[in-house]
Amino acid sequence: MIGGRRVLAGRRAGTLALAGVLLLAAFLRLFELQYGQYGSDDERLWSAALRTLATHQLPLQGIKSSIGIGNGPFQVYLMLLPAAVVHSALAGAVAVALLNVVGVWALQRFAREFFGPRPALIAALLFAVNSWAIIFSRRMQAQDLLVPFQILFFWAAARWLLRGRWYDLVLLFLWLAILTQVYILGLMLLATAAIILGAGWRRVRPWPLLAGLALWGLLSYRYLLGIVLPYNSAFRGVSGGHASLDLASVLGALTMATHKGFQTIAGQAGSVFDSTAGIEAVLLGLEMALFAAGAGLVLLRLVRALRSGPASKARLYGLLLLWLLLPVALFARHSVALYPYYFTTVLPLPALFTGLLLDRWWPRVGLPLLTILVANALAMAGIFFAVIPGYYIHNDYGLPYQQTFSTAASLEALAAKAGVHRVYVDGDLDPSDVMSSVLRRAGLDVFWLDDYRSPEFAAPPVSDAPALYVTMAGDTDTAHFLRAHFAAQQRYVNHLPGEGDAIRAYVLTAAQVRPVLAALLSRGLGLQVGNGMHLDAFSTPERLAAGQRVLPASVSWTWPGGRRPADLQYTLFGHLINAAGAAVAEVDRPLLPSTNWLAGEEVVQWLDLPLPASLPPGAYRLEIGVYDDFGAVRQSLVDGSGRTLPSGSLLLGPIVMAPPPPPANPDLTPARLVLGNGITLQAYGWSAQGGQLELDLRWQATATPTKDYTVYVHVLNGAGKLAAQADGQPRGGAFPTSAWRRGDVVDDPRSVAVPPGDWTVEVGMYNLATLQRLPGGPLRFPIHIAG
């Protein structure tokens, strides 16, 4: 009787403990979820669910994966219920969080069935507080939907391998069908399933196997045949090309045991984590070491089971190691960077393996270690929750739900009040793409000015209604332009907590925008492009400061209407060309897809060319043109007179890179020779070795020269006859005098072959067209070349 009471009390305690773990898991996945990041993947998945409900047509695939192939459609199916019940996107995040709480429960049941109540509870607790499990439970992303079904899959596999019950085999195929269509990495479980069937071939019965295969095929065939097989070449991008074989995948798997997920995703927490004087590094090492040691314990038990039985235990431990090793092996050879979400397939093994190890060391070592791990995880979670209400631009943590949808509601009301026709949203990938999609779903005509892809601005057609301009960040060219010229037309601002960035909105008419653009892009082009668009005007600085690393340039274009070009995508290119005709800097800016061209809309491409650090001073030209993306064929350019420009490009400029102030050189001899037209020979120096005269000339511009002049260096013998010479523009033509401006000091090295003897050197300048020397020269000085 007493023993029965103890068993009953133990069960109650276990039930209460499990309830506490599940409540903790739910809290960590749902707390402050309104500040969960709402990124482009979340918006695409939620939009796909809403579209499916509206059209009553099940999609063939979900959102695109990072390797280019579409994820399976089950990720959309799982969002249909919350989308049907509650229209708010936050409902989808809640559904994902609750699904992952179910995953914690499933892990506990799985571990309890095969390892006992205590290791099951330890594993469930560690999984509940695991940073990566929490991070991958708070968004509508493919990897966030994978883990719960993965646990169910391996649970069914273990039950079938150990007990051979037919319905576990059918369930295995059901979970496999969902896994392979929730996240692209779930496809690797096809290989896992084949290995499982091979390991348990003695338990295979025809009818359960056929039923499972039929269920899997019925649920999967459309996706496998329609998407995976036709586009299987996309998988080669992960391990093809110049691949490397290293331990990165091992480190990626071990990282899943750590609390590093919080600062990896929410970088704004990094300063807090970094202020702990190395404690976090020690704890990271401890977490990974315990996971690795737990894997070693499972391997040891597998070896023992293979030696002395029972065989069922060997299958169980072999299944767990297969679960761990397959993703590690898959990414062992890779040609792309390995991101943490590639290793969600490892979860929840860090919790399970560490739990088995702590149970083995219980209570003297296991309990203190468990306390340390859980306390640290909760402390890190607390920091994470404290920082996520703030928005940080250059961060993996996107704009939260609350700020996204409160801003969208304000913008919708502003657009309705102002009677705008088109909404332009400017900024990088997240959150600008998200805001564009949200506003588009509200029925607005939205175009995303994709600063991530191609910085641009657009002015509405002259006869169009006002436009609404929304800048999602303050550091883009468009944001700077709007703040500089239209501060009075700002109608909305949301100062975001965190770094202090702001979302701003302006209501502008074409009559307000176009004069400003005309003043900014004041140099006309008047070019007709072969695809029907017009290149209208441009703006570039005539002079760059010494050491400047960016050439700012702008080109405007319009489409007058009529027949759209057959090719959908074109690119505007800009090349900086030196005096020798070689490109020293370049940039390509994709234009709006031609399907989005609006007749009469003026589009400005911001062409900021990155300049190499080694770019020498001199005069350059900017070459511009347009090519189609499908064949990289330059489009023809026709000027206002009907002349077709050669090579499909136009040279603009000149653009002068100013010289840096030359260093002091005490070896130079002052000359102070004033030649006229603003040119002075300030100083000179010479040396000779091996029959070669080396001259260092230092020129100064006291005004802006009006012509390109040629420097002459003449070596005269005792009779005044010319013995050698070196004529040419300054710096070999790279920095002609027409590019000089008042205050420039230009070093001009020269070399002349001169035989041994005594000579007189003359230095000056002349106009090559007339051979007329500049007045005031030449400078003459004697030299001696040793024999």
Side-chain angles (χ1 to χ4, degrees):
M1 188 69 176
I2 296 176
R5 289 177 180 174
R6 287 179 177 175
V7 171
L8 183 59
R11 288 178 178 175
R12 288 177 179 172
T15 301
L16 289 174
L18 176 59
V21 169
L22 294 179
L23 286 174
L24 178 61
F27 173 80
L28 294 173
R29 285 152 181 77
L30 292 169
F31 182 66
E32 299 280 37
L33 196 55
Q34 73 273 21
Y35 295 123
Q37 57 178 329
Y38 189 68
S40 55
D41 281 356
D42 307 77
E43 169 62 16
R44 291 188 186 107
L45 184 53
W46 187 246
S47 296
L50 294 176
R51 187 166 53 250
T52 299
L53 290 173
T55 62
H56 304 289
Q57 292 183 345
L58 293 177
L60 183 62
Q61 62 178 328
I63 64 174
K64 283 292 183 69
S65 69
S66 59
I67 65 173
I69 191 172
N71 285 291
F74 261 73
Q75 57 180 224
V76 180
Y77 301 165
L78 292 171
M79 291 295 101
L80 292 180
L81 179 59
V85 175
V86 183
H87 191 69
S88 170
L90 191 58
V94 171
V96 173
L98 294 176
L99 180 64
N100 279 274
V101 174
V102 173
V104 176
W105 171 85
L107 174 65
Q108 191 274 341
R109 297 295 299 166
F110 173 33
R112 181 184 179 90
E113 181 172 343
F114 296 108
F115 302 107
R118 188 170 64 199
L121 195 60
I122 296 172
L125 178 58
L126 290 174
F127 188 43
V129 302
N130 178 277
S131 68
W132 296 102
I134 294 169
I135 289 296
F136 293 138
S137 300
R138 295 171 59 87
R139 295 187 63 183
M140 286 182 288
Q141 288 191 317
Q143 60 265 26
D144 297 45
L145 299 165
L146 179 76
V147 176
F149 294 104
Q150 185 169 256
I151 298 170
L152 294 172
F153 170 80
F154 281 98
W155 187 10
R159 300 184 78 179
W160 178 74
L161 283 173
L162 272 66
R163 300 186 177 94
R165 293 182 297 208
W166 67 270
Y167 55 82
D168 287 321
L169 182 60
V170 175
L171 283 173
L172 182 148
F173 280 104
L174 171 63
W175 305 135
L176 180 65
I178 295 175
L179 283 166
T180 52
Q181 297 180 80
V182 161
Y183 185 32
I184 195 73
L185 285 180
L187 289 170
M188 76 176 184
L189 293 176
L190 293 172
T192 304
I195 295 172
I196 291 170
L197 291 174
W201 66 273
R202 293 180 183 274
R203 299 181 181 276
V204 174
R205 299 294 180 265
W207 290 114
L209 178 63
L210 290 175
L213 287 171
L215 178 62
W216 171 73
L218 181 65
L219 295 174
S220 306
Y221 80 94
R222 293 176 69 245
Y223 173 61
L224 294 177
L225 296 180
I227 301 297
V228 176
L229 291 180
Y231 303 103
N232 67 85
S233 59
F235 295 99
R236 299 172 190 166
V238 177
S239 59
H242 300 286
S244 59
L245 182 64
D246 53 34
L247 297 177
S249 63
V250 176
L251 182 61
L254 290 175
T255 301
M256 291 295 105
T258 70
H259 61 269
K260 198 174 181 179
F262 292 130
Q263 61 260 49
T264 299
I265 300 301
Q268 63 265 47
S271 60
V272 181
F273 292 130
D274 294 340
S275 66
T276 54
I279 296 175
E280 289 309 308
V282 173
L283 290 172
L284 287 171
L286 175 64
E287 289 162 336
M288 290 192 286
L290 290 175
F291 179 25
L297 176 64
V298 172
L299 177 61
L300 180 62
R301 291 182 178 181
L302 171 62
V303 172
R304 288 177 179 174
L306 289 173
R307 288 179 176 176
S308 57
S312 59
K313 287 293 185 180
R315 295 193 191 99
L316 175 62
Y317 294 128
L319 178 67
L320 293 178
L321 290 174
L322 175 65
W323 189 348
L324 172 63
L325 295 177
L326 193 63
V328 172
L330 176 67
F331 292 112
R333 183 179 182 273
H334 59 98
S335 57
V336 297
L338 299 183
Y339 296 102
Y341 59 83
Y342 288 179
F343 296 96
T344 50
T345 52
V346 172
L347 295 174
L349 290 180
L352 180 57
F353 284 8
T354 303
L356 293 175
L357 185 70
L358 297 184
D359 178 67
R360 176 71 176 80
W361 292 341
W362 200 267
R364 292 186 177 181
V365 177
L367 180 57
L369 284 176
L370 178 64
T371 304
I372 292 172
L373 294 177
V374 173
N376 178 65
L378 293 177
M380 297 303 104
I383 296 172
F384 171 73
F385 290 132
V387 301
I388 59 175
Y391 176 59
Y392 290 72
I393 307 167
H394 305 292
N395 193 358
D396 286 335
Y397 202 86
L399 192 65
Y401 287 88
Q402 184 181 68
Q403 294 163 356
T404 297
F405 289 99
S406 64
T407 298
S410 299
L411 294 175
E412 291 167 26
L414 177 59
K417 181 179 179 180
V420 305
H421 173 205
R422 191 166 235 202
V423 180
Y424 298 100
V425 179
D426 170 72
D428 289 344
L429 180 60
D430 279 343
S432 305
D433 181 27
V434 174
M435 186 59 66
S436 299
S437 179
V438 172
L439 295 177
R440 197 175 291 117
R441 285 198 282 108
L444 295 172
D445 178 14
V446 183
F447 194 83
W448 172 27
L449 300 174
D450 183 1
D451 190 74
Y452 177 80
R453 178 188 61 96
S454 181
E456 58 203 351
F457 179 80
V462 174
S463 59
D464 211 1
L468 178 64
Y469 293 87
V470 181
T471 60
M472 300 298 294
D475 59 351
T476 69
D477 290 328
T478 293
H480 290 308
F481 173 74
L482 288 168
R483 284 203 310 273
H485 297 283
F486 301 106
Q489 284 73 39
Q490 181 178 295
R491 295 292 179 264
Y492 171 84
V493 60
N494 180 9
H495 293 283
L496 301 172
E499 288 180 323
D501 202 32
I503 300 174
R504 303 175 188 272
Y506 307 78
V507 176
L508 299 171
T509 64
Q512 292 171 310
V513 177
R514 287 177 178 264
V516 177
L517 291 179
L520 176 67
L521 290 87
S522 58
R523 305 167 72 179
L525 292 173
L527 297 175
Q528 183 172 341
V529 187
N531 61 4
M533 58 185 286
H534 291 174
L535 296 181
D536 299 318
F538 78 99
S539 171
T540 60
E542 295 183 353
R543 191 169 178 84
L544 302 174
Q548 188 168 330
R549 291 294 162 259
V550 175
L551 167 62
S554 307
V555 177
S556 66
W557 62 274
T558 57
W559 177 59
R563 184 175 180 179
R564 295 182 186 273
D567 291 334
L568 299 179
Q569 190 68 63
Y570 295 87
T571 294
L572 178 72
F573 67 85
H575 299 159
L576 191 64
I577 307 299
N578 64 13
V584 295
E586 59 185 35
V587 68
D588 288 12
R589 296 298 189 202
L591 303 178
L592 311 179
S594 60
T595 52
N596 293 317
W597 292 1
L598 187 63
E601 185 178 52
E602 182 179 6
V603 182
V604 178
Q605 299 293 145
W606 311 116
L607 298 177
D608 293 339
L609 278 76
L611 302 177
S614 58
L615 190 68
Y620 299 87
R621 291 188 178 273
L622 179 64
E623 180 188 30
I624 64 169
V626 177
Y627 65 84
D628 74 82
D629 286 5
F630 298 95
V633 177
R634 290 189 179 186
Q635 301 294 293
S636 62
L637 298 179
V638 179
D639 65 17
S641 65
R643 181 176 65 93
T644 300
L645 303 184
S647 73
S649 65
L650 176 68
L651 289 174
L652 309 172
I655 301 166
V656 176
M657 169 67 81
N665 188 348
D667 296 331
L668 295 182
T669 301
R672 299 184 181 88
L673 179 69
V674 179
L675 295 179
N677 205 357
I679 299 175
T680 296
L681 180 60
Q682 189 183 76
Y684 71 95
W686 68 275
S687 63
Q689 186 174 4
Q692 201 74 16
L693 171 64
E694 304 293 340
L695 279 176
D696 293 311
L697 306 178
R698 177 164 289 181
W699 304 97
Q700 183 179 24
T702 57
T704 299
T706 58
K707 294 184 175 67
D708 283 335
Y709 293 102
T710 300
V711 176
Y712 65 88
V713 176
H714 292 171
V715 180
L716 308 178
N717 61 18
K721 300 293 185 180
L722 184 66
Q725 71 182 98
D727 293 12
Q729 291 192 355
R731 300 182 68 91
F735 197 27
T737 56
S738 61
W740 296 6
R741 297 295 181 268
R742 181 185 179 90
D744 284 350
V745 178
V746 181
D747 279 349
D748 182 24
R750 303 213 162 234
S751 181
V752 189
V754 181
D758 294 315
W759 310 92
T760 298
V761 177
E762 287 186 342
V763 177
M765 284 193 185
Y766 62 88
N767 185 342
L768 183 61
T770 63
L771 298 181
Q772 182 178 0
R773 291 185 176 186
L774 281 176
L779 171 74
R780 292 188 177 92
F781 57 92
I783 64 170
H784 173 75
I785 306 296

